[in-house]
């Protein structure tokens, strides 16, 4: 079910020296551990009361899960989940018969659309680590058929420039582009900056953007500002691109995410995200009654 459709063309990418108005940090949030799934712990940043959402993004979790904990059978409707493995492996299984394991550096981009019931469980012993991002879908896309884009680590576009290495999960950087198709126009990058390096990257001016620091510490927006450490989510204000510096003695690794706002009402009830309370009520009824995309839900159970 992988898609080979070409990505959206979101216009010409500016060259680095065209960033005239670097985005500044407008919010800094330390992600905190909380219970999720069955026995699992996640560090949540987007999706907490302090940062309920950042249109079009609904949730960002950094998960650290050891068996037997995990995320057993559960439904989704109305958005996409993007799972990026940092360490270990997770096996996904859904009610349409789709099954696969993602390992370090692999990405699963799942468009839940009108309905998916799936499980996400550790594939081996020890701690499995990764990031999961929820991206909202526009009202016209919320009830599309589910689909997957899955990239193995070896197939993710990579580029390097002046001590800055990037893995491009979605979007374009340093003249290189990801093959991932984004229904909600999105960029998603994994940057590693060596000590002393400086990054400039254009981002469309009308998009929202944030960074999540995975390892190390970095300076963002203003060269004279205080370094920000790991497990922090940084929300950027308006501008035409981001600037970052690594003035520490060790590598800085962070995820950079940006997306075009949908500017639509968001009504969320757990794993269902729609535009109105009536649509949420319909989603719950469809799930419990096994209809309108959830026909296979009643008789399916994962074997994990």
């Amino acid at each position: 079910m992988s898609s080979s459709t070409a990505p959206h063309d979101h216009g010409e990418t500016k060259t680095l020296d065209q960033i005239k108005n670097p985005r500044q940090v407008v919010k800094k949030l330390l992600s905190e551990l909380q219970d999720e799934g069955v026995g699992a712990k996640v560090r949540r940043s987007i999706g907490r009361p302090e940062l309920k959402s950042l249109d079009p993004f609904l949730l960002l979790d950094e998960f650290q899960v050891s068996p037997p904990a995990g995320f057993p059978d559960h439904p989704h409707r109305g958005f996409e989940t993007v799972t990026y493995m940092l360490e270990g492996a997770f096996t996904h299984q859904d009610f349409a018969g789709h099954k696969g394991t993602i390992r370090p550096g692999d990405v699963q981009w799942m468009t839940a659309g009108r309905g998916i019931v799936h499980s996400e469980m550790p594939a081996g012993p020890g701690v499995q680590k990764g990031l999961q991002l929820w991206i909202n879908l526009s009202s016209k896309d919320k009830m599309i058929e589910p689909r997957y884009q899955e990239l193995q680590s070896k197939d993710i576009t990579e580029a390097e420039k002046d001590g800055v290495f990037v893995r491009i999960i979605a979007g374009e950087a340093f003249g290189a582009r990801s093959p991932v198709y984004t229904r909600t126009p999105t960029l998603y990058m994994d940057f590693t900056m060596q000590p002393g390096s400086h990054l400039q990257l254009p981002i469309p001016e009308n998009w929202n953007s944030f960074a999540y620091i995975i390892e190390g510490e970095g300076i963002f927006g203003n060269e004279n500002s205080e370094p920000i450490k790991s497990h922090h989510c940084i929300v950027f204000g308006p501008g035409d691109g981001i600037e970052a510096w690594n003035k520490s003695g060790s590598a800085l690794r962070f995820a950079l995410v940006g997306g075009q706002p949908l500017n639509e009402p968001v009504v969320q009830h757990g794993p269902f995200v729609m535009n109105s309370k009536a649509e949420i009520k319909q989603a719950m009824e469809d799930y419990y009654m096994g209809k309108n995309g959830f026909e296979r839900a009643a008789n399916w159970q994962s074997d994990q």
Side-chain angles (χ1 to χ4, degrees), residues 105-148:
D106 294 352
V107 172
Q108 183 201 64
W109 197 295
M110 184 184 87
T111 304
R114 65 200 300 248
I116 273 182
V117 179
H118 74 158
S119 66
E120 301 160 290
M121 299 296 287
V127 179
Q128 329 290 314
K129 296 182 182 178
L131 299 175
Q132 187 168 94
L133 175 70
W134 289 11
I135 306 173
N136 202 5
L137 288 169
S138 66
S139 55
K140 66 179 170 48
D141 289 334
K142 283 190 176 294
M143 294 296 284
I144 63 174
E145 286 298 316
R147 60 203 68 188
Y148 295 91

Side-chain angles (χ1 to χ4, degrees), residues 50-276:
E50 302 95 318
L51 186 56
K52 194 65 185 158
S53 64
L54 182 68
D55 190 6
F57 307 109
L58 302 162
L59 176 141
L60 179 70
D61 281 349
E62 178 186 4
F63 59 86
Q64 302 183 41
V65 181
S66 303
F71 308 96
D73 307 3
H74 60 279
H76 292 293
R77 173 180 279 182
F79 60 100
E80 301 181 303
T81 68
V82 183
T83 307
Y84 181 44
M85 290 304 296
L86 301 174
E87 195 177 301
F90 251 65
T91 296
H92 155 95
Q93 209 178 117
D94 78 12
F95 69 176
H98 186 91
K99 185 175 181 179
T101 299
I102 54 173
R103 305 182 188 282
D106 294 352
V107 172
Q108 183 201 64
W109 197 295
M110 184 184 87
T111 304
R114 65 200 300 248
I116 273 182
V117 179
H118 74 158
S119 66
E120 301 160 290
M121 299 296 287
V127 179
Q128 329 290 314
K129 296 182 182 178
L131 299 175
Q132 187 168 94
L133 175 70
W134 289 11
I135 306 173
N136 202 5
L137 288 169
S138 66
S139 55
K140 66 179 170 48
D141 289 334
K142 283 190 176 294
M143 294 296 284
I144 63 174
E145 286 298 316
R147 60 203 68 188
Y148 295 91
Q149 296 175 86
E150 290 169 321
L151 291 178
Q152 291 187 330
S153 184
K154 64 181 177 61
D155 298 322
I156 291 180
T157 305
E158 298 178 344
E160 191 165 6
K161 183 172 184 173
D162 300 332
V164 180
F165 171 77
V166 62
R167 309 188 80 231
I168 305 167
I169 297 165
E172 185 176 346
F174 302 164
R177 173 172 279 198
S178 163
V180 165
Y181 173 84
T182 62
R183 273 159 199 80
T184 301
T186 303
L187 66 84
Y188 189 166
M189 321 259 175
D190 173 7
F191 281 101
T192 300
M193 297 180 63
Q194 295 305 315
S197 62
H198 172 216
L199 167 68
Q200 286 188 304
L201 189 82
I203 296 175
E205 291 202 44
N206 63 328
W207 288 22
N208 286 327
S209 62
F210 70 91
Y212 186 81
I213 301 179
I214 299 167
E215 292 174 12
E217 63 175 43
I219 295 169
F220 296 84
N222 182 332
E223 190 175 4
N224 298 316
S225 59
E226 288 292 312
I228 302 174
K229 299 181 186 295
S230 59
H231 308 303
H232 278 88
C233 182
I234 306 158
V235 178
F236 296 107
D240 61 354
I242 71 129
E243 277 196 278
W245 296 262
N246 182 1
K247 296 188 176 184
S248 74
S250 56
L252 161 67
R253 186 181 183 189
F254 63 94
L256 175 69
V257 182
Q260 184 175 319
L262 297 173
N263 297 315
E264 293 181 1
V266 176
V267 182
Q268 179 172 354
H269 182 80
F272 305 131
V273 182
M274 302 301 288
N275 297 107
S276 69

Side-chain angles (χ1 to χ4, degrees), residues 31-44 47-48 59 61-65 69-72:
S31 58
E32 294 179 354
L33 281 171
Q34 66 180 65
D35 295 322
E36 197 60 51
V38 175
K41 296 273 191 187
V42 301
R43 286 182 174 272
R44 181 161 297 168
R48 277 178 36 206
L59 176 141
D61 281 349
E62 178 186 4
F63 59 86
Q64 302 183 41
V65 181
F71 308 96

